[in-house]
């Protein structure tokens, strides 16, 4: 396959097939963990690791996996990677783990991972699957960064923990944005913007 | 072969075996680190509420510790209490000096109170007002006590005070025994 069409596997994940805003999968952890820019990026990093691992392994063994039991096998692979990142975060990044702790096991049921294993990695080569994982992760990280930043700036007046708004704003911030309704509100606006930008082309 | 029933079963078994081996390897490497992280975090949370404490010995597993300073003198006890707040249990860590007064108060990071309301129980002004008080003084102003509650978070404020008071009632005898 030619180079430009391979590049597509990566680039599509960012806007055209953005896992959150276009494919609309994995919304629950997205809404739950995007309360601050730092937490959001931490979650995106954990998802990236699991998605790359699962896509590559699924692609490697796709020819010997019987179709009838492929889903249980995918789940075992995904949960193994999730447990590995759970241990590694606890051991080497305890501060990040304290924030992400409850959400890490939820990556197992994050539809982005199983969705890509089933829809892409099971039918494509290792390199293409790696590109797909990187692209979808980049798209996920982008949405997480935007949501985490907006919610943190509105609800706490800070960005990555640094004060970026005047003191009077931080004294009475828009708390609404840190609550679940704020997350739905924001993802609705983002979805609207993306629909407008991609109108007729997706 | 690849579509046979035998391979269907075998492929699942093999996947599980490989996954189990990989996990046990990672677990073996990270377990000691995770344990030492947990021990450090516990010690840090205990020292925070009892200034000057250098060493802790457990009196009741995971609940009460006896604290000594660097010279080995008994300087008080630290206990953990988990009152029920608005969003779930709140872990309260309390340091009590040898005179039976509160030396410091900490709130576990796992608390699930409402951000901006109950979550403000972690703020210094709220926790600092417990310092120097004895068991009978730990009550909210609106319950005819002396402490300021967090506005719009009475349930959380009361829960913290109750946790402190009940813990002191249960564990203060350790100050005199041993």
């Amino acid at each position: 396959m030619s180079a430009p069409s391979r590049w597509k596997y990566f680039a599509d994940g960012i806007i055209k097939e953005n896992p959150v805003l276009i494919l609309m999968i994995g919304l629950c952890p997205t809404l739950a963990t995007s309360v601050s820019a730092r937490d959001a990026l931490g979650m995106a990093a954990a998802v990236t690791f699991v998605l790359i691992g699962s896509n590559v392994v699924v692609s490697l063994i796709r020819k010997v996996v019987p179709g009838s039991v492929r889903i249980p096998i995918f789940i075992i692979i995904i949960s193994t990677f999730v447990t590995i990142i759970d241990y590694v975060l606890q051991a080497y990044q305890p501060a990040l783990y304290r924030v992400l702790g409850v959400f890490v096991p939820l990556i197992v049921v994050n539809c982005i991972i199983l969705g890509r294993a089933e829809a892409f990695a099971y039918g494509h080569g290792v390199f293409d699957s790696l590109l797909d994982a990187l692209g979808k992760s980049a798209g996920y990280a982008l949405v997480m960064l935007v949501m985490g930043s907006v919610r943190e700036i509105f609800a706490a007046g800070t960005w990555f923990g640094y004060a970026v708004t005047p003191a009077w704003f931080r004294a009475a911030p828009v708390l609404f944005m840190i609550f679940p309704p704020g997350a739905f509100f924001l993802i609705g606006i983002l979805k609207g913007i993306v629909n407008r930008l991609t109108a007729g082309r997706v | 072969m690849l579509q046979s029933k035998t391979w269907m079963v075998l492929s699942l078994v093999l996947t599980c075996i490989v996954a189990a081996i990989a996990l046990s390897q990672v677990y073996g490497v990270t377990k000691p680190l995770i344990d030492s992280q947990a021990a450090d975090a516990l010690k840090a949370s205990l020292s925070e509420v009892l200034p000057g404490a250098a060493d802790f010995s457990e009196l009741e597993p995971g609940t009460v510790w006896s604290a000594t300073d660097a010279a080995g003198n008994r300087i008080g006890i630290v206990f953990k209490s988990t009152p029920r707040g608005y969003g779930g249990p709140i872990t309260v860590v309390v340091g009590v000096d040898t005179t039976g007064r509160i030396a410091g108060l900490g709130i576990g990071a796992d608390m699930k109170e409402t951000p901006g309301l109950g979550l403000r129980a972690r703020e210094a002004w709220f926790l600092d007002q417990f310092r120097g008080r004895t068991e009978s003084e730990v009550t909210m102003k609106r319950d005819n006590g002396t402490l300021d509650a967090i506005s719009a978070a009475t349930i959380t404020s009361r829960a913290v005070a109750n946790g402190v008071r009940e813990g002191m009632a249960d564990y203060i005898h350790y100050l005199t025994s041993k």
Side-chain angles (χ1 to χ4, degrees):
Chain A
M1 197 175 285
S2 65
S5 53
R6 284 202 139 149
W7 166 248
K8 191 170 108 54
Y9 292 139
F10 174 80
D12 275 359
I14 296 171
I15 295 284
K16 203 169 156 230
E17 280 182 21
N18 186 293
V20 180
L21 294 176
I22 303 291
L23 304 180
M24 301 300 276
I25 48 179
L27 291 181
C28 169
T30 305
L31 299 176
T33 56
S34 60
V35 290
S36 73
R38 191 174 176 275
D39 296 1
L41 272 196
M43 185 66 185
V47 166
T48 303
F49 170 83
V50 176
L51 186 54
I52 290 174
S54 123
N55 255 17
V56 166
V57 171
V58 166
S59 171
L60 275 174
I61 61 169
R62 70 186 191 279
K63 294 205 170 105
V64 291
V65 170
S68 47
V69 290
R70 67 184 191 282
I71 301 286
I73 287 180
F74 295 166
I75 301 277
I76 295 166
I77 293 169
I78 294 166
S79 50
T80 305
F81 277 110
V82 169
T83 313
I84 288 175
I85 189 122
D86 191 66
Y87 288 155
V88 169
L89 277 180
Q90 270 190 72
Y92 300 103
Q93 291 290 328
L96 184 59
Y97 185 77
R98 270 194 291 280
V99 177
L100 295 181
V102 290
F103 301 112
V104 172
L106 281 180
I107 301 175
V108 173
V109 289
N110 188 325
C111 315
I112 296 174
I113 321 271
L114 184 61
R116 292 331 285 171
E118 170 75 4
F120 196 92
Y122 193 56
H124 291 80
V126 176
F127 185 64
D128 293 348
S129 299
L130 176 67
L131 285 178
D132 178 71
L134 288 171
K136 294 294 179 289
S137 305
Y140 184 69
L142 184 70
V143 175
M144 288 300 275
L145 181 65
V146 171
M147 289 193 63
S149 301
V150 172
R151 291 179 75 187
E152 186 182 348
I153 290 169
F154 274 97
T158 57
W159 192 52
F160 284 100
Y162 298 103
V164 291
T165 51
W168 60 263
F169 183 81
R170 269 176 286 135
V174 188
L175 274 176
F176 164 74
M177 289 306 288
I178 212 164
F179 292 107
F184 281 108
F185 178 72
L186 180 59
I187 205 164
I189 291 178
L190 289 179
K191 175 74 182 147
I193 293 174
V194 168
N195 280 358
R196 178 78 189 231
L197 289 177
T198 59
R201 280 182 283 128
V202 178
Chain B
M1 157 66 186
L2 281 177
Q3 293 304 325
S4 73
K5 283 216 166 73
T6 326
W7 177 240
M8 191 177 96
V9 174
L10 207 61
S11 65
L12 261 178
V13 172
L14 276 175
T15 313
C16 289
I17 291 174
V18 173
I21 293 172
L23 280 183
S24 65
Q25 291 302 316
V26 177
Y27 185 73
V29 175
T30 52
K31 182 79 168 93
L33 283 161
I34 293 171
D35 287 347
S36 80
Q37 298 279 10
D40 287 352
L42 176 68
K43 199 174 169 199
S45 72
L46 297 182
S47 334
E48 216 164 76
V49 296
L50 195 56
D55 203 22
F56 298 95
S57 60
E58 213 166 43
L59 297 171
E60 280 183 28
T63 336
V64 194
W65 293 263
S66 166
T68 48
D69 64 13
N73 301 312
R74 183 81 186 276
I75 59 166
I77 57 165
V78 175
F79 67 81
K80 239 184 215 181
S81 171
T82 47
R84 201 173 63 193
Y86 187 74
I90 305 174
T91 309
V92 184
V93 187
V94 188
V96 184
D97 65 18
T98 46
T99 64
R101 288 173 184 280
I102 295 170
L105 186 62
I107 304 268
D110 55 351
M111 108 161 147
K112 293 180 193 66
E113 301 303 288
T114 319
L117 301 173
L119 214 56
R120 291 179 63 204
R122 288 190 294 210
E123 290 178 6
W125 69 267
F126 178 73
L127 297 176
D128 283 350
Q129 56 177 347
F130 287 81
R131 198 168 290 154
R133 309 222 181 246
T134 57
E135 183 195 329
S136 58
E137 293 170 342
V138 184
T139 320
M140 290 295 131
K141 267 184 187 151
R142 61 186 301 161
D143 302 324
N144 302 316
T146 51
L147 302 172
D148 286 314
I150 303 156
S151 27
T154 314
I155 295 176
T156 308
S157 314
R158 259 192 205 135
V160 172
N162 290 345
V164 173
R165 213 171 45 245
E166 283 159 18
M168 287 179 92
D170 288 349
Y171 306 127
I172 203 115
H173 65 91
Y174 281 115
L175 270 180
T176 45
S177 64
K178 283 191 279 187

